[in-house]
Amino acid sequence: MMKYFLLPLILFLTPTAYGAVSVESLIDQVDQYRGYPESPFEVTLLVHSKRPNKPVQKYKLAVKVKGEKSIVKFLAPARQKGRAILKEGNNMWFHIPRTRRVIRISPTQRLLGEASNGDVASTNFKNDYTAELVGEETVEKTLSYKLHLKATSRKINYATIDLWIDKSTGKPVKSNHYAISGKLLKVAFYKAFQNTESGEKLHKLLLVNPLRKGQYTWMIYNNYKQVNLPDQLFRKESLNRL
Amino acid sequence: MSFAKAFLACLLLLGTGSVSFLPSSFAENYSDSIHMDDLNPYGIEGEIVLEKDTDGAYPDPMEMDDFQPSEVEDEAIEENDFLESLMLTIDTEFRFKEKRVDLLTNPNNQLLDYEQREHTGMIDLEWNPQLGEFLTFRSREILQYRQVDQDDEVNGFLLEGYLQWENEARTWAVDLGKKKIEWSSGFAWSPANVLIPKEETPSNDILEQAGIEMLQLESVWNNITITALAAKLETDNVENGRQYAARSSLNFDPWELALIYHQAQEQSPVAGMSLNGLITDEMELHIEWMLTQERNRKTPGQKSVDQGPSLLQWYDYETADKEQEFYQFLLGGRHTFKNDSNLTLEFLHDSHGYNNQEWEIIKKGIQFSNQALKTKTSDPLEAAHAGFLKNTAEAIKQGVLRQNYLFLRWDSGESSNLWRWQQVVILNLDDSSQLYRSVLSKAWNDYIQSEAAITVFQGGELTEYGLSPYKGIGSISIEISF
């Protein structure tokens, strides 16, 4: 008799068998490490992209983020200085200095080695994905929660993401990024965090092409600053005024 | 408009996603790779190659010997504000041109003298210093050395120089000074760039990037942007005149619709619309349509009236053109492939261009004047023959001579070795003449890039590109950025 009573209880408890962990709070925590979900901010970004037997391609970018909107300005290399990308929802615009031209670009177009425009311009999982806790695994020698994220819209860069979060600290450890076809596009390793005035933030992100050996990109975030950024800054017309 | 339909069909074909330059399988076998089934739960193409030891296999750039600590110091950006507002390039270009012999607009090669070699050296400085919290000065200056065959000259130009004020919320902006306006999304043609002077066709002339003295006001509310400007007007007929333009755009994700109006002194108003947006993540579409009641060109025969008696003055184009509406219609799209190459297609219909009836008359005029000048009889109309041929040659140089054009551009994107290849074809659909352009560029490091380009003009001797004074133009250039 007891087993008929216990079985439904076990089945009921199974989905929360990883303790009283709230998926939302885990995603909130990860987004906090990747920026300031609740307020606009600036960050500088060094991108070092490596391909086998090729010189490292280096970029220095100034990134301004407000919610789902962001502006990425190229500070280096000198031959690309002054270029800027605006991401406004699914709209992405590219500004070429001197010509004053602002052209629409594809969100999937790569401008920085392994990093797509979306990788540089997006810092928020919560708005773009719904998450499900699927288990615990040890990755990168770290006991982690494994979350499966599904894009809330077909317009999001990656259709699904498997995300591993450090069970003890809540920091992201690794994520696999898949296309809608199920093809694995990228593997990201969250390698280092730095202390800022408002807590720890992502400092070093490693993006690896899983299908090409030796093809990877380091993204080094620095100088996080919460700033007041008006909505109208994130307009196509503003790209000529940066 | 059957060309437009065919063009749309091409775009839709590209949009099916069935086109891919990726090889069907690009997995590479590495003996020391690890196979991680958990990375591939959906059955992906190719073999996963991911190093087990991410610390050793992917060296951290901050731990490399050549890493500059200043790149990540907090003060780095602020200290460099002055330098960040400067963009300086030095550019040198050599152009070699192969002249066409027996060009019909240049009988006996005596009427017009076309250069064969050109060398330009240029210092191009863009400087945008912040003068206050909301006030910026934006400028672009050129110092150019130009040698054409045996002659040389040095000139300095202020391409742009204007003050820009914005309010704190960035809902209002006021620009005062010499400024270039870009309202078009077109690549080869830009009907929505309504200000005069208009650039009819892309060119290498740096001065075509010069702005116009103006006062511009721009206001942004939610998803609506309104721009209004008053600018200086200089034409053959108007000195120190005025032109006014307004643009109102509405953004509705992922589209932008704009209405445009332009009024220049002593000219009919121009009104139109532009629409651009994304059909898919990979495909962009742009449409521009501009309407006016005044033709933007005269016939070569008519132009020569100003310079003396005209052979074609009996043909009354002015009367024929009255009460008519003239429009430019541009339909274009760009598809970005998975390997980052992209293909751009554009179709232009310009009813300002010469129609078949006019072109037949112009052709007869070219042949008649050419024969008259070649035979060197003491024709009392010799000046008119010469004037007509010169004006025809000038009109051809300005581009968009006829009414229907197709533009195709393939861009390889930048390779991992920093090479890039662009192939352009412009087809005059009315006379089937063609322009081909190949550009190969290479970035040698962060500062230096070079470019080699070849342009070839092909077509019958009485077609637009067949009447180009050159068979082909080759160029080599080096650009150093600081």
Side-chain angles (χ1 to χ4, degrees):
Chain A
M1 185 65 193
M2 183 61 93
K3 68 180 177 186
Y4 296 109
F5 173 74
L6 281 177
L7 187 61
L9 184 64
I10 289 166
L11 287 173
F12 177 75
L13 289 175
T14 302
T16 56
Y18 305 112
V21 177
S22 149
V23 174
E24 287 74 22
S25 68
L26 283 174
I27 291 294
D28 279 346
Q29 258 183 309
V30 169
D31 284 344
Q32 285 290 344
Y33 284 115
R34 299 174 81 220
Y36 301 84
E38 309 303 329
S39 69
F41 67 98
E42 290 177 344
V43 64
T44 55
L45 181 55
L46 293 180
V47 178
H48 285 226
S49 189
K50 181 79 179 89
R51 289 185 178 209
N53 307 316
K54 305 279 164 54
V56 176
Q57 288 183 47
K58 298 176 184 176
Y59 304 88
K60 188 173 185 181
L61 313 167
V63 184
K64 294 176 195 288
V65 183
K66 186 172 189 180
E68 293 178 301
K69 300 170 182 175
S70 53
I71 287 177
V72 178
K73 190 173 177 185
F74 286 59
L75 306 176
R79 64 189 170 83
Q80 294 187 350
K81 188 176 168 182
R83 292 182 178 193
I85 300 168
L86 164 68
K87 182 175 183 287
E88 188 192 10
N90 195 45
N91 293 318
M92 294 196 84
W93 303 91
F94 184 46
H95 170 250
I96 306 161
R98 297 201 182 93
T99 63
R100 302 285 181 218
R101 292 201 72 175
V102 177
I103 60 168
R104 198 183 272 274
I105 55 169
S106 154
T108 54
Q109 193 173 333
R110 285 186 304 112
L111 294 179
L112 305 159
E114 293 311 305
S116 72
N117 304 329
D119 290 327
V120 173
S122 304
T123 60
N124 201 315
F125 284 137
K126 187 179 180 179
N127 293 338
D128 294 345
Y129 296 91
T130 56
E132 182 193 356
L133 184 59
V134 292
E136 285 181 18
E137 283 177 9
T138 299
V139 291
E140 294 287 293
K141 301 167 192 164
T142 308
L143 181 60
S144 308
Y145 293 118
K146 183 180 179 185
L147 271 64
H148 184 65
L149 279 59
K150 277 186 188 166
T152 51
S153 147
R154 289 174 67 92
K155 294 175 179 178
I156 308 297
N157 252 14
Y158 305 105
T160 58
I161 295 175
D162 286 333
L163 172 65
W164 286 265
I165 300 171
D166 187 328
K167 201 177 168 185
S168 60
T169 63
K171 290 176 184 171
V173 179
K174 178 186 166 186
S175 50
N176 290 343
H177 300 242
Y178 299 92
I180 200 160
S181 63
K183 179 179 172 183
L184 179 65
L185 299 173
K186 261 166 222 164
V187 180
F189 297 93
Y190 303 78
K191 300 295 279 185
F193 297 81
Q194 68 179 180
N195 283 315
T196 70
E197 287 172 359
S198 43
E200 276 189 284
K201 298 290 172 199
L202 177 63
H203 180 40
K204 292 179 186 174
L205 177 70
L206 170 64
L207 290 175
V208 180
N209 184 331
L211 297 172
R212 292 284 177 99
K213 189 184 179 188
Q215 202 161 305
Y216 58 92
T217 293
W218 279 92
M219 296 169 72
I220 299 169
Y221 297 81
N222 279 292
N223 310 328
Y224 284 92
K225 273 182 205 156
Q226 280 177 287
V227 285
N228 181 28
L229 300 172
D231 284 338
Q232 309 304 348
L233 177 68
F234 300 91
R235 295 293 297 266
K236 172 193 166 195
E237 292 77 13
S238 291
L239 283 174
N240 269 323
R241 299 187 201 129
L242 293 176
Chain B
M1 298 299 287
S2 58
F3 291 116
K5 285 179 188 169
F7 180 74
L8 261 180
C10 286
L11 279 178
L12 290 171
L13 184 68
L14 285 170
T16 57
S18 59
V19 181
S20 169
F21 288 133
L22 278 180
S24 57
S25 170
F26 54 93
E28 296 166 48
N29 291 312
Y30 295 101
S31 56
D32 57 347
S33 64
I34 57 167
H35 301 244
M36 302 173 70
D37 291 339
D38 66 328
L39 286 174
N40 190 9
Y42 308 99
I44 64 164
E45 311 156 26
E47 185 178 14
I48 300 297
V49 281
L50 195 65
E51 300 293 345
K52 199 178 281 180
D53 175 12
T54 55
D55 290 330
Y58 311 108
D60 182 342
M62 288 182 72
E63 288 164 15
M64 307 289 272
D65 292 341
D66 63 346
F67 187 76
Q68 305 287 328
S70 62
E71 290 186 63
V72 292
E73 283 168 6
D74 280 357
E75 298 80 10
I77 297 294
E78 281 165 24
E79 275 181 4
N80 289 335
D81 265 356
F82 175 77
L83 289 176
E84 299 302 343
S85 70
L86 267 179
M87 277 176 273
L88 176 67
T89 58
I90 296 175
D91 188 9
T92 184
E93 183 187 51
F94 295 89
R95 306 184 91 200
F96 314 95
K97 306 176 181 184
E98 188 182 354
K99 283 201 274 194
R100 221 181 267 285
V101 289
D102 297 330
L103 183 67
L104 288 175
T105 51
N106 197 18
N108 301 325
N109 295 321
Q110 287 177 344
L111 192 61
L112 296 157
D113 187 23
Y114 292 106
E115 71 257 17
Q116 280 189 291
R117 287 184 186 180
E118 187 180 343
H119 170 218
T120 52
M122 196 164 62
I123 297 172
D124 185 337
L125 175 70
E126 185 171 339
W127 188 41
N128 304 316
Q130 189 99 27
L131 302 179
E133 197 174 351
F134 307 114
L135 190 65
T136 310
F137 177 67
R138 298 188 182 275
S139 66
R140 187 177 172 203
E141 300 86 19
I142 298 284
L143 184 62
Q144 187 186 53
Y145 165 79
R146 187 161 178 258
Q147 184 183 37
V148 178
D149 293 332
Q150 305 307 318
D151 304 320
D152 60 359
E153 57 183 7
V154 177
N155 289 304
F157 305 102
L158 178 71
L159 296 182
E160 287 188 288
Y162 61 96
L163 280 169
Q164 185 165 75
W165 173 87
E166 287 178 287
N167 67 343
E168 190 174 359
R170 292 186 183 246
T171 49
W172 286 93
V174 180
D175 297 345
L176 178 65
K178 191 173 183 181
K179 185 184 178 189
K180 181 172 168 60
I181 297 290
E182 270 292 345
W183 285 350
S184 175
S185 302
F187 286 82
W189 304 286
S190 307
N193 286 346
V194 286
L195 289 188
I196 299 169
K198 282 195 74 171
E199 185 186 352
E200 294 293 347
T201 196
S203 94
N204 281 336
D205 187 351
I206 191 76
L207 296 183
E208 289 195 352
Q209 294 178 28
I212 305 168
E213 285 86 358
M214 69 173 69
L215 171 65
Q216 179 190 280
L217 270 94
E218 192 162 272
S219 180
V220 183
W221 307 312
N222 298 320
N223 55 348
I224 295 173
T225 303
I226 294 177
T227 310
L229 63 87
K232 192 176 172 184
L233 176 70
E234 293 280 352
T235 67
D236 293 343
N237 305 322
V238 180
E239 253 182 69
N240 283 320
R242 291 278 176 276
Q243 56 182 325
Y244 305 92
R247 179 180 186 270
S248 170
S249 70
L250 172 71
N251 285 284
F252 50 103
D253 189 18
W255 296 94
E256 183 195 48
L257 173 69
L259 301 176
I260 295 165
Y261 182 83
H262 176 247
Q263 174 72 70
Q265 196 173 321
E266 295 181 16
Q267 291 195 21
S268 293
V270 178
M273 54 78 68
S274 72
L275 176 73
N276 69 74
L278 291 175
I279 300 175
T280 67
D281 271 3
E282 294 80 25
M283 187 180 290
E284 178 264 3
L285 180 80
H286 53 271
I287 297 170
E288 293 178 12
W289 179 73
M290 292 292 141
L291 181 71
T292 181
Q293 284 194 312
E294 187 174 351
R295 198 169 189 181
N296 67 9
R297 73 194 71 189
K298 292 178 179 177
T299 65
Q302 214 177 12
K303 274 188 164 181
S304 62
V305 173
D306 305 332
Q307 298 178 1
S310 167
L311 292 170
L312 298 175
Q313 58 187 304
W314 52 267
Y315 190 85
D316 189 355
Y317 287 96
E318 288 282 1
T319 306
D321 289 347
K322 270 179 190 165
E323 309 300 326
Q324 278 194 38
E325 287 178 339
F326 297 91
Y327 69 93
Q328 291 176 307
F329 171 76
L330 177 75
L331 170 65
R334 189 178 73 255
H335 188 276
T336 303
F337 296 97
K338 288 177 182 171
N339 63 355
D340 286 335
S341 65
N342 59 74
L343 183 69
T344 307
L345 274 169
E346 283 186 347
F347 165 73
L348 175 76
H349 175 76
D350 185 350
S351 67
H352 295 276
Y354 302 121
N355 60 32
N356 287 337
Q357 186 191 9
E358 292 167 337
W359 188 245
E360 284 304 316
I361 292 165
I362 291 166
K363 271 162 61 176
K364 282 177 190 160
I366 292 170
Q367 287 171 312
F368 187 61
S369 295
N370 178 281
Q371 281 304 313
L373 291 178
K374 257 187 173 171
T375 52
K376 290 203 168 186
T377 54
S378 53
D379 189 337
L381 291 175
E382 190 174 321
H385 289 303
F388 171 73
L389 290 180
K390 279 181 182 173
N391 285 325
T392 304
E394 188 63 28
I396 289 166
K397 204 165 74 180
Q398 285 167 10
V400 193
L401 202 61
R402 304 296 304 279
Q403 295 192 330
N404 297 293
Y405 292 85
L406 199 61
F407 166 85
L408 188 147
R409 172 180 173 261
W410 180 75
D411 182 343
S412 68
E414 200 171 70
S415 76
S416 54
N417 280 327
L418 308 181
W419 287 94
R420 184 185 205 106
W421 178 35
Q422 293 175 66
Q423 182 65 52
V424 169
V425 179
I426 300 178
L427 176 64
N428 179 325
L429 295 171
D430 294 316
D431 64 19
S432 299
S433 63
Q434 315 109 48
L435 177 153
Y436 296 95
R437 182 169 164 80
S438 295
V439 183
L440 183 65
S441 54
K442 160 81 176 165
W444 299 98
N445 54 37
D446 286 354
Y447 307 96
I448 300 173
Q449 53 189 342
S450 60
E451 183 181 288
I454 294 176
T455 307
V456 175
F457 304 92
Q458 282 193 344
E461 62 177 8
L462 280 166
T463 59
E464 177 172 1
Y465 295 118
L467 281 165
S468 159
Y470 303 107
K471 277 185 188 171
I473 299 173
S475 67
I476 297 170
S477 66
I478 297 174
E479 186 180 285
I480 306 168
S481 306
F482 298 93

